[in-house]
Amino acid sequence: MTLADKLAEERRARLAAERLLELKQTELRAANEKLSKHALNLSRRIDETRAEVAHVRDENLKFRTDLDVANEKVELAERRLWHSIQTIRDGFAFFNSDGLLIGANAAYLAAFEGIEEVKPGISYGRIAEILIDEGIVNPDPMTAVEWLGMMLARRHDPKPPPLVLRLWDDTYFRVLEQPGYDGDRVVTSLNITDTVRYEEELKAARYRAEAANRAKSAFLANMSHEIRTPMNGVVGMAELLAETTLTEDQRLYAETIRNSGEALLVIINDVLDYSKIEADKLQLHPEPFDLERSIHDVAMLLQPSVRDKDIRLLVDYDIFLPTRLVGDPGRIRQILTNLAGNAVKFTEKGHVVIRVTGRNDNRTCTIHIAVEDTGIGIPADQIEHIFGEFNQVESEMNRQFEGTGLGLAITHRLIDMMGGTPWVESTEGQGSCFGFHVTLPVASAVEADPASLPQRLKHAMIVDDMPVNRQILERRLAQLGVRVTSCASGHEALAQMDESVDIVLSDHHMPGMDGVVLAETMRAEGWDNTPFVMMSSNPHFDKDQPGRNCVQAVLQKPVSRRDLLQVLSIEAAQEVNAPCADCPAALLRPGGTPCIQMRRQACATNGPPIFGDGCDSPSRPAPVPPLARRMRVLAAEDNRTNQLLFEKMVKDLDIELTFAGNGAEAVEKFASFAPDIVFMDISMPGMDGKEATCRIRALEAQAGTGAHVPIVAVTAHAMEGDARSILDAGLDEYLTKPLRKAQILDRIAGSCPADARAPIAAFEPRTPKARAAL
């Protein structure tokens, strides 16, 4: 090979080596770049990992710090909680699900008085055994075995009831057990020794208070009895004295004695009622009653005071309201007496109106009763306190009026007990209006239709000088479809009289021309066939009064709705040609001769009750044969004054009267005297009235005849519950002293048997069936 070839080959080889070197360098550079990138990534990852490790290291450090702080707080809270538990008087103990004691505070362990066995790890059952064995607990009234069994049963009760433990030193603990998580149980023992002792003190105080209340009730009952017994003689004798022939001064003295006695009885009743209210012993006794009749009874009771003061007492009862309701008639009359009595007492001129309105839904009736007066009124700043206890309006105008200040307080409480609401409106110097509303059930008895009037009665004339009285009658008659002409005087009535007037209703006492003169003048002017009805507050207005023969009927004021409708509704089917002088024949007879006497009593010889048929009525009972025996009356009374009073009250009756001085004597005379009625005093020496009545009822039962003689309790006891205990002893009725003559006469006349002659001419003997219904 030539040198050139060798050189060329070497050159080619060098070039190839250079190219290979360049290629390898290129590959090396690529590898270095790749390695560099990888190293860079690896370095970055290392840095990130280092940062993460540092963060985790920091977080772990922080967590450890927080955990240490939390542990410290928990330990501090536990120490504080346990310190608190240790310092309180109540015991705490913790048991696990196996019933082993985990821990207990010093108050819990103190009951065991240092017994070393009682410590964490002791069982619930063993603790109960120690309590019994060491005499720590007084298990009374249980035995030790019973008590231990009860405690072991509580261990398995998921909700054990609270338990009161009495320790040996009369310390009391209330044990509460509360199940916890996973079967654990927390036991708390609360020291209730002070509470138990306080309750015992309260029981002792309550017993003493009840004993004092019983003593007070007994004192009040005895006081009531002791006062009413002599008051029976005072009021009764004054009433009898007033019926005798007296001079004006003597009559004034007798009336003063009677009125003072009645006033004293009102005070006694107020004090007794207030004592019942204070002791929460006042009770209501609902029964069917006639509300309108009760209102008119109150009005009649107040009539003497009304006549003495020359004012008018009026009753305005809504004609479409029912009268038969269910309530306590005695308490309702008491409310009305308080309200109307106050109105009369504080009214010197004008009138007092008892106004009754309401709403009826057939089953119940909401009654609104208002008592309006034209009296002295009440200052505005004292109205809110008028129903308070012992409150009376203090002013120059009313210092002349007496009273306990309890009447309105008692009234307020009675209305509240009935579910009603009282109210009052007043203007000083012009008058007051006291009222209340109450909802009462309607009695089941069907009442007569009040709107039943003769078709011929279309036009009535009312004559009265008082506008309020005319308004009441106008409204009543207008509701019945009757046209009304109102006149304020007799002269005005004569001027407006014409043929269309079917009846005239006139007041008795009017200025200028009174009712009697008006009736005489009308008859003299030829108005003979127009019935004339006199409305009078004078109970003695009878046939002996001048001009009485010009009047067909007398209505006692205040006029009741029933009496008014009864007068207006009377018609007869046939003419009565010759009525007797005292026969109450029908008022509106078409073409007949009206009877000149129409009074609230029966014809003494052969007439039926008022508003009956004519003298020839076939329905009149046959007269009692003149040879019938006298009625026999037995009165058991140990007080000589009361015997004398009773004897004087019935002296005008056609009866046989005998007295018994005590209960034993009453039983003996019942067997020998065979009375038709017995008046039985309750408080008598030896055998009292209740025991005597029980023995009399036993005698009747032994006889086997079915006879039942009415026995009327006559007593000075007037406390709540006295009536029930007396009636439960077998007595039929209950009369409280002081007695009223009218009450005694009514009971005697109403109990007259069919085989005896009537003790009072105005009463017919009762049939055996009617008597047995007493």
Side-chain angles (χ1 to χ4, degrees):
M1 170 179 299
T2 62
L3 180 59
D5 292 333
K6 289 182 179 182
L7 292 172
E9 185 178 357
E10 288 178 359
R11 193 171 44 256
R12 285 192 298 271
R14 190 174 60 252
L15 291 172
E18 289 178 354
R19 285 195 296 274
L20 180 61
L21 179 61
E22 184 178 358
L23 178 63
K24 293 299 182 179
Q25 288 178 342
T26 301
E27 291 179 353
L28 181 62
R29 283 194 299 272
N32 287 335
E33 291 178 359
K34 185 176 181 180
L35 182 61
S36 178
K37 290 180 180 180
H38 182 70
L40 183 61
N41 290 335
L42 182 61
S43 177
R44 185 181 299 111
R45 290 181 63 185
I46 290 173
D47 292 340
E48 291 175 354
T49 300
R50 287 177 178 174
E52 290 179 359
V53 171
H55 178 72
V56 170
R57 186 183 298 111
D58 293 341
E59 289 294 326
N60 186 37
L61 180 61
K62 182 180 179 181
F63 175 74
R64 288 182 178 179
T65 303
D66 291 344
L67 182 61
D68 292 340
V69 172
N71 288 335
E72 291 177 359
K73 289 182 178 180
V74 170
E75 291 175 358
L76 178 62
E78 288 178 349
R79 286 196 302 272
R80 289 176 176 175
L81 176 60
W82 189 249
H83 179 73
S84 299
I85 292 175
Q86 289 288 356
T87 57
I88 63 176
R89 292 179 57 190
D90 301 324
F92 284 88
F94 307 91
F95 293 85
N96 63 15
S97 58
D98 296 326
L100 301 179
L101 179 64
I102 299 174
N105 68 346
Y108 183 88
L109 299 176
F112 299 93
E113 298 182 343
I115 298 177
E116 296 182 357
E117 187 179 355
V118 181
K119 60 184 179 180
I122 190 174
S123 68
Y124 183 96
R126 178 57 185 158
I127 290 178
E129 292 176 356
I130 292 175
L131 289 173
I132 282 292
D133 294 343
E134 298 294 333
I136 299 174
V137 169
N138 183 351
D140 188 64
M142 296 183 183
T143 64
V145 175
E146 291 173 342
W147 188 88
L148 185 59
M150 180 268 297
M151 291 299 295
L152 294 177
R154 289 174 61 86
R155 166 71 183 86
H156 304 286
D157 190 343
K159 293 183 178 181
L163 174 67
V164 175
L165 297 181
R166 178 185 177 187
L167 303 190
W168 63 274
D169 58 353
D170 283 338
T171 303
Y172 291 85
F173 285 90
R174 181 180 179 86
V175 178
L176 304 175
E177 298 186 22
Q178 180 64 41
Y181 175 75
D182 197 22
D184 291 348
R185 179 164 297 200
V186 177
V187 178
T188 307
S189 59
L190 310 177
N191 192 325
I192 59 171
T193 304
D194 293 341
T195 302
V196 172
R197 291 174 180 171
Y198 181 66
E199 289 178 352
E200 292 176 350
E201 292 175 359
L202 287 180
K203 290 179 181 179
R206 180 179 179 181
Y207 177 80
R208 291 193 297 270
E210 290 176 348
N213 186 58
R214 288 192 297 269
K216 183 185 73 172
S217 298
F219 169 75
L220 288 174
N222 185 65
M223 180 187 71
S224 170
H225 179 271
E226 293 302 321
I227 293 178
R228 286 174 183 274
T229 297
M231 286 303 299
N232 183 52
V234 173
V235 176
M237 285 299 184
E239 183 179 1
L240 293 177
L241 181 61
E243 295 178 357
T244 63
T245 303
L246 302 173
T247 65
E248 289 299 323
D249 287 342
Q250 290 171 338
R251 186 170 301 280
L252 174 62
Y253 301 155
E255 288 296 326
T256 302
I257 294 172
R258 185 183 65 83
N259 292 337
S260 298
E262 296 286 355
L264 179 58
L265 287 174
V266 170
I267 295 174
I268 293 171
N269 290 335
D270 283 348
V271 172
L272 292 178
D273 279 341
Y274 186 73
S275 69
K276 298 172 194 174
I277 291 175
E278 195 179 41
D280 200 21
K281 297 295 184 180
L282 199 65
Q283 296 180 354
L284 299 178
H285 302 285
E287 61 181 63
F289 76 106
D290 190 319
L291 176 61
E292 186 180 18
R293 185 73 266 159
S294 297
I295 293 174
H296 279 274
D297 288 344
V298 172
M300 293 302 294
L301 179 67
L302 297 174
Q303 277 302 311
S305 299
V306 171
R307 287 195 296 271
D308 292 343
K309 305 183 76 168
D310 196 24
I311 61 176
R312 307 289 181 89
L313 176 59
L314 310 173
V315 177
D316 182 11
Y317 197 105
D318 190 337
I319 199 167
F320 291 108
L321 279 181
T323 62
R324 294 286 298 171
L325 303 171
V326 177
D328 189 327
R331 293 304 181 183
I332 288 179
R333 278 193 290 267
Q334 183 178 358
I335 292 172
L336 294 171
T337 301
N338 284 338
L339 296 182
N342 275 352
V344 171
K345 180 168 68 172
F346 294 108
T347 302
E348 293 298 326
K349 60 181 180 178
H351 64 267
V352 175
V353 181
I354 304 175
R355 202 180 304 277
V356 184
T357 58
R359 184 180 67 256
N360 178 28
D361 63 3
N362 296 325
R363 292 187 178 181
T364 60
C365 187
T366 301
I367 300 293
H368 299 263
I369 300 179
V371 180
E372 308 168 8
D373 66 66
T374 56
I376 63 175
I378 305 171
D381 59 341
Q382 299 191 35
I383 289 181
E384 294 182 0
H385 310 289
I386 198 65
F387 284 106
E389 294 87 349
F390 306 102
N391 284 345
Q392 290 179 310
V393 177
E394 293 292 339
S395 69
E396 293 292 339
M397 298 179 63
N398 76 330
R399 286 178 184 171
Q400 58 181 312
F401 305 108
E402 299 177 351
T404 62
L406 292 174
L408 289 179
I410 295 170
T411 296
H412 194 298
R413 179 58 181 268
L414 290 175
I415 295 173
D416 287 343
M417 292 177 65
M418 295 178 184
T421 304
W423 50 269
V424 59
E425 298 174 356
S426 183
T427 302
E428 188 175 6
Q430 298 182 17
S432 304
C433 181
F434 283 81
F436 66 97
H437 65 80
V438 63
T439 300
L440 299 175
V442 177
S444 58
V446 179
E447 299 188 25
D449 183 7
S452 176
L453 290 179
Q455 294 183 357
R456 66 183 295 269
L457 179 55
K458 299 182 180 299
H459 185 190
M461 175 178 284
I462 299 173
V463 188
D464 198 306
D465 62 301
M466 291 195 65
V468 64
N469 206 10
R470 296 198 304 271
Q471 292 171 4
I472 293 173
L473 290 173
E474 286 172 10
R475 185 164 59 252
R476 287 182 177 179
L477 294 176
Q479 290 172 332
L480 297 173
V482 177
R483 182 164 64 93
V484 178
T485 297
S486 291
C487 303
S489 67
H491 296 290
E492 184 180 346
L494 292 173
Q496 298 193 37
M497 187 67 187
D498 57 38
E499 295 289 345
S500 67
V501 176
D502 299 313
I503 189 171
V504 177
L505 297 107
S506 174
D507 187 26
H508 183 192
H509 297 289
M510 295 184 294
M513 179 184 293
D514 67 10
V516 174
V517 176
L518 174 61
E520 292 176 334
T521 305
M522 289 182 60
R523 300 307 181 210
E525 293 185 358
W527 303 104
D528 296 327
N529 294 326
T530 303
F532 193 100
V533 178
M534 185 77 75
M535 298 176 293
S536 176
S537 59
N538 182 6
H540 305 295
F541 186 75
D542 54 25
K543 65 180 181 180
D544 297 328
Q545 294 278 343
R548 179 63 175 85
N549 59 341
C550 297
V551 177
Q552 278 67 54
V554 177
L555 292 177
Q556 183 69 33
K557 296 179 69 175
V559 178
S560 72
R561 177 182 65 167
R562 178 172 300 176
D563 290 350
L564 176 64
L565 293 175
Q566 205 166 19
V567 168
L568 300 179
S569 302
I570 295 172
E571 287 186 297
Q574 57 184 354
E575 179 179 350
V576 177
N577 294 318
C580 72
D582 289 327
C583 177
L587 176 63
L588 299 176
R589 297 187 182 278
T593 303
C595 181
I596 64 171
Q597 298 300 326
M598 192 171 187
R599 299 176 298 169
R600 280 197 150 282
Q601 50 193 353
C603 186
T605 54
N606 57 2
I610 188 170
F611 310 128
D613 296 329
C615 295
D616 55 348
S617 171
S619 62
R620 182 174 297 104
V624 179
L627 296 179
R629 69 175 179 85
R630 288 195 298 170
M631 184 180 176
R632 294 185 290 269
V633 178
L634 171 62
E637 173 64 66
D638 64 302
N639 187 282
R640 294 292 184 183
T641 301
N642 289 339
Q643 287 184 6
L644 176 61
L645 174 62
F646 191 94
E647 183 178 5
K648 294 300 182 182
M649 282 183 171
V650 301
K651 64 183 177 60
D652 295 327
L653 302 187
D654 186 17
I655 61 172
E656 292 183 49
L657 174 65
T658 187
F659 286 100
N662 53 58
E665 188 177 344
V667 176
E668 294 175 1
K669 290 195 174 182
F670 178 86
S672 60
F673 184 61
D676 299 305
I677 185 173
V678 179
F679 290 90
M680 183 73 72
D681 187 27
I682 297 302
S683 297
M684 292 185 292
M687 182 186 297
D688 65 11
K690 289 189 283 188
E691 184 179 353
T693 300
C694 292
R695 297 198 180 188
I696 289 174
R697 296 306 183 207
L699 292 176
E700 289 179 336
Q702 292 175 3
T705 61
H708 181 90
V709 175
I711 302 180
V712 180
V714 179
T715 178
H717 290 286
M719 293 294 288
E720 186 73 28
D722 290 338
R724 176 51 50 198
S725 65
I726 289 172
L727 296 178
D728 288 345
L731 292 102
D732 298 280
E733 293 186 76
Y734 177 88
L735 297 181
T736 303
K737 294 178 182 178
L739 300 177
R740 302 299 187 271
K741 181 178 179 179
Q743 293 176 321
I744 299 297
L745 301 186
D746 179 68
R747 267 58 176 190
I748 293 176
S751 301
C752 182
D755 63 339
R757 58 179 180 264
I760 308 174
F763 289 85
E764 293 291 344
R766 295 199 178 192
T767 63
K769 180 178 180 180
R771 181 183 173 188
L774 281 174

